C-alpha cells in the first residue's frame, strides 16, 4: 500500500493531495504540466519537504509531520528516474548502474546486475560514457540504475517526455516488461495518454495541485464527468481481455472480456493469454439499430451509464458492457439523434483495426 | 647551467617553486571548502565571508604582508602561539613566504573551484541522494570529481601567480638570499645593484616563461579533464 497525503505551498501554487494506491502495480499520476505531479513524487523521494502530511510505502513511514518523521532521501530507498536521466557524466554506464547497487544493504539485494542488464538490453553499453548514448539508451540506463538501488518504490518522472516517437517506441516495451516481471510498486508521472493506457493499473488525475479522480484504470478512464480526462483528444479505454480462439479461415483472433468479445486481425498469442487492449474514445461508434452489410466486425451490446459534457461541444457517453466500463466521445448532434439517456440499451461498434495492443 | 645562473639565482628559482607549491598544497583544501560554502550553501554573513575571501585580490599586497606581520610576528597574537606551542616561526622564513603567497593566491583558487561547482548540475547530487549516497559520499563521488577540472586549473593558476608574489612576501618575511629571496625579490635586488641589469633581465625572462607555462598547462589540463569527465 502506498499512502501519500501532503500539503505544501509553492509560491502562488498550493499542493494538497491525498492518494492511496495498491502496491505492487503501476500508479499513473496524470495531468498537465504545472499540475503538481512532479512535486508529489519529489515529496515522496524526499527532495521536496511538505509542510504537513504523511507518506508511507508498505509499512515504512517516510514522512509524518505529526510524528516529526522526515527520512533523508538517501535513507528512503525510493528509486527515481528523472525526465533528463541524470546519469553521472564522469562514470561509465557500468559504474552508473553499480552506484546505487553498492549502496544498497547487502541483505536486500534482490534485483541483480545481470538481471537488470538483460531486462533492459543494455549489455552492449556497459563500457560507454553517458554522453555517447542516445536519449532512449540513457533512459534505460537511468531506469537500470534506479532498479539496482533496490528501491521499495520506483518513481518515474515523465521518463519518455524528452524522447522522440521512435525512441519512445524503443523504451516502452522495456517499461512493460518491467511491469510484468518485477513486483515493484511504481509511481509514474506522465501527461501522455498512451503511456497511461499501456502501463498503468491505477490512475490518479491531478489538476492544479489537487486530485481530481483516482481509482482502477478502466474505471477512471471511462468516467464521463471528467472533461479534462475523457475530453482529452487522446482519451482511451483499456480492456483486460483473454485470447479466446483463433479463426484462421477468417484471419481473425477472438478476445474475450467480461461484457463481450472482440475480433481482431490475427494475433500471434496462444489462447488463454491475458491481453490488455486500448480503444480510443473517439473510435467508438454508437447505434440504436443493428447495421447490416458493414465492414465492421465488432458489434457489442451495452447500455448507457451516464452522459457528460466534453470539450468543444462533444458529448462523453459512459457505457457499461456487462461489468466493463467504457467511454465514447460523439458529437452533440449524434447524441440528440439517437436520443441517448442513461439506462438505455445501445449498440457499441468498434472497428477491429481501432483496437491497439 | 652553472655558467648561466649563479648559485644565488638558482636558489631563488628553487625557493620560488617550493614556496608556490607549498602555498597551493596547503590552501587547496581550505579553498575547496570556501568555494563549496559559497557555491552551495546559504548562511548568515555569507556576503561578508565572500568579501573576506576576495579581499587579497583588491588590497595592496604590502597591506596583506603588513597584516600578516602584525598577526604572525614573534609578538603577534598568532605568531606568539605558534612559536610557544609548536616552535614554528613564520617571520623571515620560507614557511612565512608560503603563507603570504597562499593568502594572496587564495581568491584565485576559490574562484576557479566555485565556478566549476556552480556549473555542475545540482540535479546530479539529487540523483545520487535517491541512490543512497550521504553528504560526504556525494561530495567525494559526484561533486568533487565533477569540479576536478576547475580545482586543477585553479591550483595551476595559483601556483603560477604564487611564483611571482612580491609585495606580501617582502613585507612579511623580508628579502634574505637563500631563505626568503624568491625569484621576484631576486629581480628586485638585481635592479637595485649597479650592473645588475643583465641578471634582472635574465631572471625576468625566466619568470615570464614560468608564468606563461603555468597558464598554458592550466588551460590544457582543464580541456583534457573536461573531456575525460564527459562534459
Amino acid at each position: 500500500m502506498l499512502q501519500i497525503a501532503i500539503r505544501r505551498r509553492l509560491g502562488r501554487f498550493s499542493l494538497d493531495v491525498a492518494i492511496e494506491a495498491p502496491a505492487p502495480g503501476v500508479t499513473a499520476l496524470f495531468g498537465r504540466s504545472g499540475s503538481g505531479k512532479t512535486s508529489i513524487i519529489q515529496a515522496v523521494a524526499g527532495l521536496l519537504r511538505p509542510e504537513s502530511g504523511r507518506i508511507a510505502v508498505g509499512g515504512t513511514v517516510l514522512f509524518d509531520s505529526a510524528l516529526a518523521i522526515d527520512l533523508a532521501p538517501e535513507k528512503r530507498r525510493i528509486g527515481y528516474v528523472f525526465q533528463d536521466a541524470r546519469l553521472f557524466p564522469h562514470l561509465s554506464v557500468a559504474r552508473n548502474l553499480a552506484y546505487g547497487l553498492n549502496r544498497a544493504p547487502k541483505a536486500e539485494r534482490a534485483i541483480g546486475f545481470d538481471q537488470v542488464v538483460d531486462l533492459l538490453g543494455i549489455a552492449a553499453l556497459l563500457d560507454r560514457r553517458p554522453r555517447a548514448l542516445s536519449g532512449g539508451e540513457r533512459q534505460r540506463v537511468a531506469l537500470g540504475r534506479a532498479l539496482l538501488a533496490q528501491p521499495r518504490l520506483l518513481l518515474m518522472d515523465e521518463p519518455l517526455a524528452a524522447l522522440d516517437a521512435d525512441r519512445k517506441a524503443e523504451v516502452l516495451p522495456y517499461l512493460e516488461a518491467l511491469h510484468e516481471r518485477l513486483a515493484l510498486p511504481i509511481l509514474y508521472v506522465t501527461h501522455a495518454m498512451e503511456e497511461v493506457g499501456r502501463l498503468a493499473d491505477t490512475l490518479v488525475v491531478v489538476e492544479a495541485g489537487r486530485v481530481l479522480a483516482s481509482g482502477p484504470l478502466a474505471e477512471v478512464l471511462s468516467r464521463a464527468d471528467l472533461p479534462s480526462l475523457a475530453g482529452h483528444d487522446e482519451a482511451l479505454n483499456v480492456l483486460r481481455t483473454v485470447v479466446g480462439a483463433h479463426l484462421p479461415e477468417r484471419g481473425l483472433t477472438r478476445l474475450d472480456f467480461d461484457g463481450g468479445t472482440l475480433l481482431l486481425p490475427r494475433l500471434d498469442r496462444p489462447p488463454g493469454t491475458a491481453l490488455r487492449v486500448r480503444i480510443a474514445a473517439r473510435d467508438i461508434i454508437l447505434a440504436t439499430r443493428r447495421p447490416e452489410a458493414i465492414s465492421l466486425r465488432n458489434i457489442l451490446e451495452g447500455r448507457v451509464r451516464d452522459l457528460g459534457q466534453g470539450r468543444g461541444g462533444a458529448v462523453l457517453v459512459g457505457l457499461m458492457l456487462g461489468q466493463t466500463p467504457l467511454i465514447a466521445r460523439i458529437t452533440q448532434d449524434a447524441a440528440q439523434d439517437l436520443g441517448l439517456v442513461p439506462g438505455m440499451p445501445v449498440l457499441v461498434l468498434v472497428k477491429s483495426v481501432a483496437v491497439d495492443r | 647551467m652553472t655558467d648561466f645562473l649563479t648559485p644565488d639565482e638558482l636558489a631563488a628559482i628553487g625557493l620560488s617553486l617550493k614556496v608556490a607549491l607549498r602555498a597551493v598544497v596547503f590552501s587547496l583544501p581550505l579553498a575547496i571548502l570556501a568555494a563549496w560554502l559559497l557555491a552551495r550553501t546559504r548562511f548568515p554573513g555569507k556576503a561578508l565571508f565572500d568579501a573576506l575571501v576576495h579581499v587579497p585580490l583588491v588590497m595592496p599586497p604590502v597591506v596583506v604582508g603588513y597584516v600578516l606581520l602584525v598577526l604572525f610576528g614573534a609578538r603577534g597574537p598568532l605568531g606568539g602561539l605558534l612559536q610557544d606551542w609548536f616552535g614554528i616561526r613564520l617571520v623571515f622564513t620560507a614557511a612565512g613566504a608560503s603563507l603570504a603567497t597562499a593568502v594572496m593566491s587564495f581568491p584565485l583558487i576559490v574562484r576557479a573551484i566555485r565556478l566549476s561547482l556552480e556549473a555542475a548540475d545540482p540535479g546530479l547530487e539529487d540523483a545520487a541522494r535517491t541512490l543512497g549516497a550521504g553528504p560526504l559520499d556525494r561530495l567525494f563521488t559526484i561533486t568533487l570529481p565533477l569540479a576536478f577540472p576547475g580545482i586543477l586549473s585553479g591550483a595551476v593558476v595559483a601556483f603560477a601567480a604564487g611564483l611571482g608574489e612580491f609585495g606580501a612576501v617582502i613585507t612579511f618575511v623580508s628579502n634574505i638570499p637563500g631563505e626568503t629571496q624568491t625569484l621576484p625579490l631576486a629581480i628586485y635586488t638585481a635592479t637595485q645593484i649597479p650592473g645588475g641589469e643583465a641578471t634582472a633581465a635574465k631572471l625576468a625572462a625566466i619568470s615570464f616563461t614560468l608564468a606563461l607555462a603555468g597558464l598554458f598547462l592550466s588551460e590544457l589540463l582543464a580541456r583534457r579533464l573536461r573531456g575525460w569527465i564527459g562534459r
Side-chain angles (χ1 to χ4, degrees):
Chain A
M1 189 65 142
L2 172 62
Q3 210 187 354
I4 305 166
I6 47 172
R7 286 157 182 268
R8 161 85 198 229
R9 197 179 301 278
L10 295 155
R12 281 190 197 165
F13 180 81
S14 82
L15 190 67
D16 184 353
V17 294
I19 296 166
E20 289 209 351
V26 176
T27 301
L29 293 181
F30 179 83
R32 267 181 271 180
S33 20
S35 57
K37 312 178 297 273
T38 298
S39 301
I40 296 172
I41 62 168
Q42 281 180 336
V44 175
L47 300 175
L48 179 87
R49 178 177 296 152
E51 273 139 24
S52 64
R54 179 184 160 89
I55 301 169
V57 179
T60 312
V61 178
L62 304 176
F63 178 85
D64 192 321
S65 54
L67 300 173
I69 295 174
D70 183 11
L71 242 52
E74 58 266 30
K75 299 248 174 358
R76 293 193 178 195
R77 308 231 339 271
I78 301 288
Y80 200 134
V81 179
F82 297 88
Q83 188 174 341
D84 52 354
R86 299 198 188 171
L87 299 178
F88 304 130
H90 59 303
L91 302 179
S92 67
V93 166
R95 291 184 60 197
N96 263 282
L97 289 171
Y99 194 90
L101 181 66
N102 293 338
R103 286 161 178 80
K106 282 211 170 56
E108 297 181 44
R109 292 186 191 171
I111 307 171
F113 191 88
D114 295 338
Q115 186 191 359
V116 162
V117 168
D118 181 50
L119 178 75
L120 298 173
I122 49 180
L125 311 177
L126 291 177
D127 294 330
R128 290 211 219 149
R129 282 297 181 81
R131 69 169 168 179
L133 304 179
S134 74
E137 289 167 341
R138 265 178 220 170
Q139 279 309 359
R140 273 146 66 194
V141 174
L143 176 57
R145 184 178 68 174
L147 286 175
L148 284 170
Q150 317 295 327
R152 355 174 178 255
L153 167 72
L154 185 63
L155 306 172
M156 302 180 89
D157 188 6
E158 310 215 24
L160 304 182
L163 306 181
D164 60 43
D166 286 349
R167 297 281 87 75
K168 259 181 215 167
E170 167 203 322
V171 180
L172 256 170
Y174 292 106
L175 296 182
E176 287 174 319
L178 174 73
H179 181 192
E180 283 164 22
R181 307 231 320 246
L182 297 177
L184 180 69
I186 298 175
L187 205 52
Y188 189 99
V189 165
T190 183
H191 65 260
M193 198 58 102
E194 194 202 348
E195 292 164 34
V196 170
R198 285 179 66 163
L199 299 170
D201 303 305
T202 304
L203 179 57
V204 177
V205 183
V206 183
E207 202 169 271
R210 303 287 185 277
V211 172
L212 204 61
S214 73
L217 178 67
E219 225 167 80
V220 178
L221 281 178
S222 65
R223 278 177 59 174
D225 60 343
L226 295 173
S228 61
L229 189 67
H232 197 282
D233 235 25
E234 316 283 317
L236 46 77
N237 294 284
V238 170
L239 263 60
R240 284 167 208 283
T241 69
V242 174
V243 177
H246 295 298
L247 314 169
E249 70 283 0
R250 296 171 67 189
L252 297 173
T253 293
R254 195 190 78 225
L255 302 181
D256 300 331
F257 68 98
D258 182 2
T261 63
L262 285 170
L263 291 175
L264 257 68
R266 181 164 166 112
L267 292 176
D268 226 4
R269 298 285 190 91
T273 312
L275 200 63
R276 169 182 173 131
V277 298
R278 287 165 286 134
I279 305 168
R282 59 164 183 242
D283 284 344
I284 293 178
I285 299 167
L286 301 179
T288 44
R289 275 201 306 274
R290 189 167 284 269
E292 283 165 25
I294 188 167
S295 68
L296 192 81
R297 298 294 90 180
N298 297 301
I299 303 177
L300 304 158
E301 290 173 8
R303 117 194 117 63
V304 176
R305 187 187 65 225
D306 53 358
L307 297 161
Q309 219 27 256
R311 289 179 198 158
V315 172
L316 306 172
V317 187
L319 302 160
M320 289 305 287
L321 273 62
Q323 292 305 306
T324 305
L326 226 56
I327 188 94
R329 192 171 69 224
I330 60 174
T331 58
Q332 184 92 52
D333 188 56
Q336 267 166 13
D337 248 18
L338 295 174
L340 295 180
V341 287
M344 90 182 247
V346 70
L347 293 168
V348 178
L349 314 186
V350 182
K351 283 180 71 165
S352 295
V353 293
V355 180
D356 291 323
R357 279 179 301 126
Chain B
M1 205 58 183
T2 37
D3 293 341
F4 180 61
L5 292 166
T6 67
D8 272 2
E9 290 162 5
L10 262 180
I13 294 170
L15 185 66
S16 268
L17 292 171
K18 200 175 87 179
V19 163
L21 188 66
R22 270 206 295 202
V24 169
V25 168
F26 283 104
S27 63
L28 198 55
L30 284 175
I32 291 173
L33 181 68
W36 182 80
L37 286 172
L38 289 172
R40 286 291 156 84
T41 63
R42 280 188 203 176
F43 54 91
K46 184 174 165 182
L48 182 68
F49 178 69
D50 195 0
L52 273 177
V53 166
H54 287 97
V55 88
L57 214 53
V58 291
M59 218 157 59
V62 179
V63 177
V64 173
Y66 173 73
V67 170
L68 289 174
L69 198 56
V70 170
L71 289 176
F72 290 95
R75 268 176 249 136
L78 295 172
L81 286 180
L82 281 177
Q83 177 82 55
D84 293 348
W85 292 1
F86 305 105
I88 296 174
R89 201 170 67 105
L90 290 175
V91 194
F92 308 130
T93 63
S98 293
L99 176 66
T101 305
V103 171
M104 290 305 294
S105 56
F106 194 67
L108 292 175
I109 314 190
V110 172
R111 278 178 93 84
I113 299 172
R114 179 184 181 173
L115 282 177
S116 68
L117 281 177
E118 282 170 348
D121 177 8
L124 291 175
E125 288 171 39
D126 279 350
R129 293 194 86 178
T130 65
L131 293 167
L136 273 182
D137 191 356
R138 293 199 295 279
L139 181 68
F140 285 107
T141 59
I142 306 296
T143 316
L144 288 183
L146 289 176
F148 197 57
I151 294 173
L152 204 66
S153 72
V156 174
V157 169
F159 176 74
L163 289 175
E165 183 46 44
F166 178 80
V169 172
I170 200 167
T171 315
F172 184 36
V173 296
S174 185
N175 186 359
I176 307 161
E179 183 62 40
T180 65
Q181 189 179 75
T182 57
L183 194 52
L185 271 58
I187 296 171
Y188 171 75
T189 306
T191 60
Q192 301 302 304
I193 303 167
E197 290 87 355
T199 307
K202 192 168 63 183
L203 292 177
I206 289 169
S207 179
F208 175 76
T209 310
L210 285 174
L212 200 66
L215 284 176
F216 190 70
L217 183 67
S218 154
E219 193 51 40
L220 192 76
L221 281 173
R223 214 175 293 168
R224 278 281 177 84
L225 281 170
R226 265 197 289 276
W228 176 76
I229 66 161
R231 278 206 283 165

